[in-house]
Amino acid sequence: MQLQSLLDVLERDYPLEDADSWDLENVGLQVGSRDRDVHRIYLALDATEEVIADAVEKKADLLLTHHPMIFGGIRKVNTDTTVGRRILTLAAKDISYYAMHTNYDMHRMGALAAERISLKDAEILEEIYERNGQPIGYGRIGKLPSKMSVKDVCELIKLNFHLSNVKVFGSMQCMVERVAISPGSGKSMIDIALQKDAELLITGDIDHHDGIDARQEGLCIIDAGHYGLEHIFVEDMAAYLSERFPETEIIRAPHEEPFSVV
C-alpha cells in the first residue's frame, strides 16, 4: 500500500487542520516520502531512540507516534542533536515518520480515556473548535457510575491504564462523582474543571503549586502522568489501522513507564 493512501484515510478521520493552532506545524508526515510502499507500521507514544532502534530491528516502513518528534522549528539536521540523530537514522533506514498529536486529542483521546473509567453523560471538557456543527476539544467531564472515594478512583485508574502508581492532591477519603479527565499535561484544565463543577480532575504534569491551589479550591487531582494516560493511543490506533488495513502488519511499542518511583 502506498503511504499516501493510508494518510488519506487517517487525515479524513483526524484532519491535520483540527490540531490546536499552536500545533498545526507539528502534526503530519515529518520524515519520508508519500509515495513509498508501507507493509509494516510501528506504533509508539514517543519517537525515542529506543523506539526507533526497535522499529529498525522490526523492519518497519512507517513509524507513527502521538507526540511529534520535531516540535517547533529545526535549523540543522546533524548528529550533534538528539532530534538530528533520530531524523538521520530514520532516513538512513528508509523509515517514514508521522505524528498525530492534538488532532488526535481533539477527536479521540478524551473520549477514549472517559470510556476507560465508564464516565456517564460525558461532555467535552474544553471546546476548541466547531466542525460541521459538532464541537471538538480536549478531555471529558461526566459522572462516575457511582460515588467513589478518591482512593478507589486511584485504584480504578491504575487498573484500567496499567499503571504502578499515581500522585494525588487532596484527601484520599473524599467522595466524588462528577469527574473531569484530560490526558496529557492538564495544568490549564484546572480552572475549566472548577468552572464546570468537577470534584476531581484526572490528568498529568501537575506541579506543586497548582496542585495545592486546586486542593484549596475544593478540586482533588489525580496526576497519572503524561505517559500514564496517553499511552492508550497505541492500542487504540493499532485497532483502528488493523480494521482499515488488514493486509498491513501493526507492531506496538511495549508498554513501559518512562520513569520509576523508588
Side-chain angles (χ1 to χ4, degrees):
M1 173 183 56
Q2 193 177 60
L3 176 56
Q4 187 58 54
S5 298
L6 184 150
L7 299 187
D8 287 342
V9 174
L10 207 58
E11 292 171 8
R12 177 198 65 202
D13 294 338
Y14 300 98
L16 300 181
E17 61 269 24
D18 284 351
D20 211 333
S21 57
W22 54 266
D23 197 40
L24 287 169
E25 298 301 319
N26 302 317
V27 295
L29 185 64
Q30 293 198 339
V31 177
S33 171
R34 296 177 182 275
D35 60 8
R36 68 150 305 152
D37 287 333
V38 173
H39 304 285
R40 188 174 289 118
I41 302 171
Y42 192 104
L43 296 171
L45 191 68
D46 297 281
T48 64
E49 292 188 9
E50 293 81 5
V51 160
I52 292 173
D54 199 31
V56 170
E57 182 179 339
K58 301 291 197 309
K59 295 181 169 52
D61 304 305
L62 172 67
L63 171 60
L64 193 159
T65 70
H66 178 50
H67 295 140
M69 177 180 67
I70 304 171
F71 205 89
I74 182 170
R75 295 184 180 275
K76 297 178 181 179
V77 178
N78 58 42
T79 57
D80 293 343
T81 67
T82 300
V83 173
R85 289 192 297 272
R86 294 173 185 174
I87 293 171
L88 289 171
T89 299
L90 289 167
K93 299 299 181 179
D94 196 22
I95 299 174
S96 295
Y97 170 65
Y98 190 89
M100 300 174 64
H101 194 212
T102 54
N103 56 322
Y104 178 86
D105 288 336
M106 300 282 189
H107 285 277
R108 183 63 176 147
M109 186 72 85
L112 183 62
E115 290 168 11
R116 289 268 176 137
I117 58 172
S118 301
L119 274 192
K120 299 186 298 182
D121 304 320
E123 301 175 348
I124 293 171
L125 179 59
E126 183 186 23
E127 183 179 333
I128 303 297
Y129 298 127
E130 187 174 290
R131 292 284 186 264
N132 302 318
Q134 296 296 318
I136 61 172
Y138 295 119
R140 290 294 186 274
I141 184 166
K143 288 186 176 182
L144 294 169
S146 61
K147 188 166 282 194
M148 301 172 65
S149 69
V150 171
K151 184 178 189 303
D152 285 341
V153 180
C154 288
E155 296 304 320
L156 180 68
I157 293 295
K158 288 164 61 179
L159 176 66
N160 289 347
F161 287 84
H162 310 296
L163 303 176
S164 58
N165 60 77
V166 296
K167 182 168 68 174
V168 178
F169 292 94
S171 170
M172 298 286 277
Q173 285 70 50
C174 182
M175 300 299 292
V176 297
E177 185 176 23
R178 186 163 172 80
V179 171
I181 187 165
S182 184
S185 185
K187 175 180 175 177
S188 64
M189 296 296 175
I190 292 175
D191 287 343
I192 297 167
L194 284 165
Q195 291 166 15
K196 295 193 173 183
D197 298 320
E199 299 164 313
L200 171 68
L201 171 63
I202 304 163
T203 189
D205 296 350
I206 299 298
D207 63 31
H208 171 76
H209 297 288
D210 290 303
I212 61 174
D213 289 349
R215 184 179 63 188
Q216 291 298 310
E217 293 293 324
L219 179 68
C220 295
I221 296 180
I222 296 176
D223 184 340
H226 202 121
Y227 176 90
L229 295 180
E230 288 199 327
H231 70 82
I232 58 177
F233 163 84
V234 175
E235 180 181 344
D236 183 59
M237 191 50 53
Y240 172 93
L241 293 171
S242 294
E243 179 181 346
R244 289 158 181 80
F245 306 101
E247 74 285 358
T248 304
E249 182 181 352
I250 308 297
I251 304 165
R252 296 188 287 177
H255 173 70
E256 185 176 357
E257 295 178 52
F259 59 86
S260 300
V261 178
V262 179

